[in-house]
Amino acid sequence: MKKIIGTVTLLAFLWTPTAWAAAWQQPNGLWLDETGRLLVTDLIGNRIFVVNDGETSLFSGDHIGGYHDLVNDKALYHEPYDLVPFWQGYAVSDRANHAIRYIVDGKVKTLAGGNSPDLINKPTTAAAFHHPQGLAVQGKLLYIADTDNHILRQLDAAGNVTTLAGSQKGFQDGLFKTARFNQPTGLAIEDGKLYLTDSGNHALRFLENGMVKTIAGNGEAGYVDGVLAIARFNQPKGLILKDGVIYIADYGNGAIRQIKNNRVTTIADLGPQAKPVDLALWENTLLITDEESHSLLTIELLPQPSIITTEGVDTPYYYSIQRALSEGWLDSDTFVANATISHEEWLAALANLYCYRYPHTVIDNVVAWANQMGLIRYRYNFKADAALSRAELAYSSQQFAEKFGYDTKWKQDPLNLTITNEEQWAKDALRWAYGNGLIVNDVPNKGLCAHWLTHLEENR
């Protein structure tokens, strides 16, 4: 398992091995309330469980499955997918019954649908869906991802079901009525925007002011971190938002991704066998349902790192390293303004900037990548703990900049910089780095971290 940010663990306290058969068979949808009580839909077990104070108990449904409105423990579902608080109770997307169910006052009833799969906009049970999945609530409106109709629906306080957005299967932004989706799945709302995972299009999209727009993904499956334009997903499912950060269960890639500051990063690669479906967030703990292992996993998200610096917090260096850490360019919070930087730290930072994430301990992999990219000259001289020289820093920075199309050929000798005892490649690179503010004097290694990071922040 490749862990990028935080620690991935099995949420083992929810059950004991002997109680496994009595608990869920395939946890799917999650809802976590403000008290820490967790509701979990069991897609294959046709039940809904509640986890409270470390104890797991049945909330609604019977494992035999079916379609029957009755009291909670006798009501029947067929593949309950998602649930959200709605009105005075909980709305449940009952996927294989093509229905929206409602749990309130210890009883289950049907809010809408429950017929053969179809696309019918009518009140309550006269309406029809085709495998409804993700749900979200805004005020008295319930939003529904009508997955196999490839549209978004809404249910109002009077029980009327209407089409919110989408027209037919496809991939098209634009007006609600002309936009196209391909198996919309997960829904979430923040600041008035409705976000969705368009699973069949391998994309993340949102609705606002009558328009559908794509945030990231282009209709083709892939596994690429980076700026929104190049990022790729593979069948994204659940999503959750907090403080402007979007967390995504990237089902087909077996990974948890995040979108922050207009960049996609992988915060946990759960492995090729994992199939994450839905997410919930409790303080700094991200909860994940994994279809493949039939388990509930957690990721302890790392808090904002403490910054070690001799220059105090009111300096460009402090804010530069804050950003570099939050963006994932660096994997360490021990950078000190005037300290040297090792080969390993420098190459890992470049790899992260270029969206190829490598653990710090795999120095050979990073060196091989840097050599292939032409970012270093002497591959076999790069040792993990060796200090990076000014010449090496300048050359790597220069070559890295050229990958993004910058003209790095120095035009004149800035400030009459005198460089001795260096090969010509190093002299050219040092002049460029000095002229662009990456290094500020001719003392080897002094100020490398501070000025390099400041330059990165100013030019990102």
Side-chain angles (χ1 to χ4, degrees):
M1 180 187 298
K2 181 183 177 186
K3 304 169 193 172
I4 304 299
I5 298 176
T7 303
V8 182
T9 58
L10 177 70
L11 198 56
F13 66 81
L14 296 185
W15 55 77
T16 62
T18 56
W20 178 268
W24 49 65
Q25 296 178 45
Q26 185 174 306
N28 196 85
L30 295 173
W31 180 263
L32 187 65
D33 68 23
E34 64 276 4
T35 69
R37 189 179 73 150
L38 180 68
L39 293 173
V40 185
T41 64
D42 182 3
L43 187 74
I44 302 303
N46 301 304
R47 295 168 291 180
I48 300 170
F49 288 90
V50 59
V51 181
N52 199 15
D53 293 330
E55 298 293 329
T56 303
S57 58
L58 182 66
F59 184 70
S60 182
D62 189 296
H63 72 280
I64 61 174
Y67 187 18
H68 193 38
D69 288 342
L70 208 61
V71 295
N72 268 355
D73 61 346
K74 298 186 182 301
L76 302 182
Y77 304 92
H78 192 185
E79 297 183 4
Y81 189 91
D82 198 12
L83 81 165
V84 291
F86 187 53
W87 298 339
Q88 302 302 312
Y90 292 91
V92 180
S93 54
D94 193 358
R95 185 172 75 174
N97 281 325
H98 314 289
I100 305 301
R101 314 289 290 278
Y102 185 49
I103 304 172
V104 65
D105 297 330
K107 297 180 181 179
V108 178
K109 64 179 183 178
T110 299
L111 277 182
N115 306 294
S116 299
D118 207 337
L119 174 50
I120 300 174
N121 286 322
K122 286 188 176 180
T124 63
T125 54
F129 303 90
H130 192 179
H131 292 141
Q133 297 196 135
L135 301 174
V137 175
Q138 188 168 39
K140 294 185 178 181
L141 288 176
L142 177 69
Y143 297 121
I144 304 155
D146 194 357
T147 301
D148 286 331
N149 276 324
H150 311 289
I151 61 174
L152 302 182
R153 315 282 289 280
Q154 66 181 17
L155 185 148
D156 64 19
N160 297 306
V161 176
T162 56
T163 297
L164 173 66
S167 54
Q168 56 184 297
K169 183 178 180 180
F171 190 12
Q172 181 175 305
D173 287 345
L175 297 172
F176 281 4
K177 65 180 181 180
T178 59
R180 297 182 182 183
F181 305 99
N182 184 356
Q183 294 191 319
T185 301
L187 299 179
I189 291 178
E190 184 171 86
D191 296 332
K193 292 182 183 180
L194 177 61
Y195 294 81
L196 70 138
T197 52
D198 193 358
S199 189
N201 282 323
H202 316 288
L204 182 72
R205 306 173 77 181
F206 74 94
L207 283 68
E208 184 182 37
N209 298 327
M211 300 293 290
V212 176
K213 299 180 181 180
T214 297
I215 300 172
N218 71 343
E220 297 180 359
Y223 192 0
V224 180
D225 283 350
V227 296
L228 299 180
I230 68 168
R232 298 291 180 264
F233 302 91
N234 188 350
Q235 295 179 275
K237 299 274 188 183
L239 75 164
I240 191 169
L241 291 89
K242 183 179 180 182
D243 300 329
V245 180
I246 308 172
Y247 300 96
I248 304 154
D250 194 356
Y251 178 88
N253 285 321
I256 307 302
R257 319 284 291 282
Q258 77 171 17
I259 297 180
K260 181 178 180 181
N261 297 327
N262 296 317
R263 293 179 66 87
V264 176
T265 55
T266 298
I267 64 172
D269 189 330
L270 304 174
Q273 301 304 315
K275 297 294 181 185
V277 177
D278 202 14
L279 305 172
L281 189 60
W282 176 254
E283 296 178 343
N284 286 327
T285 300
L286 193 64
L287 292 83
I288 308 152
T289 49
D290 178 24
E291 177 185 297
E292 187 66 24
S293 67
H294 311 286
S295 301
L296 187 61
L297 309 177
T298 67
I299 299 176
E300 295 297 328
L301 299 175
L302 296 179
Q304 185 70 24
S306 58
I307 307 303
I308 303 173
T309 175
T310 58
E311 298 187 16
V313 297
D314 294 321
T315 64
Y317 169 67
Y318 177 85
Y319 295 109
S320 297
I321 199 163
Q322 281 274 15
R323 180 175 181 190
L325 286 164
S326 66
E327 292 277 11
W329 302 339
L330 304 176
D331 295 331
S332 171
D333 63 354
T334 57
F335 275 71
V336 180
N338 291 326
T340 60
I341 182 172
S342 70
H343 285 158
E344 182 180 29
E345 290 170 324
W346 172 245
L347 293 183
L350 285 183
N352 290 342
L353 269 166
Y354 204 71
C355 309
Y356 289 88
R357 303 188 64 89
Y358 289 103
H360 259 192
T361 54
V362 192
I363 181 65
D364 289 341
N365 289 348
V366 189
V367 169
W369 166 80
N371 183 67
Q372 183 180 8
M373 293 287 291
L375 304 181
I376 57 178
R377 289 186 63 88
Y378 302 121
R379 172 178 180 177
Y380 297 106
N381 290 338
F382 271 64
K383 307 299 181 184
D385 295 328
L388 188 77
S389 71
R390 288 169 62 253
E392 290 169 333
L393 171 84
Y395 181 79
S396 289
S397 300
Q398 181 188 37
Q399 298 304 309
F400 186 82
E402 287 187 357
K403 300 298 179 184
F404 292 93
Y406 294 104
D407 180 6
T408 67
K409 305 303 181 185
W410 62 281
K411 303 299 188 297
Q412 58 184 354
D413 194 343
L415 303 180
N416 298 314
L417 179 65
T418 300
I419 304 171
T420 59
N421 301 321
E422 298 282 3
E423 296 184 51
Q424 189 59 48
W425 61 266
K427 292 179 181 180
D428 291 345
L430 283 165
R431 287 189 173 97
W432 170 80
Y434 189 87
N436 283 276
L438 272 72
I439 54 178
V440 295
N441 51 47
D442 57 1
V443 179
N445 291 312
K446 184 173 178 60
L448 289 185
C449 298
H451 293 285
W452 169 63
L453 288 171
T454 301
H455 184 79
L456 282 180
E457 182 176 25
E458 291 172 351
N459 289 279
R460 288 292 291 180

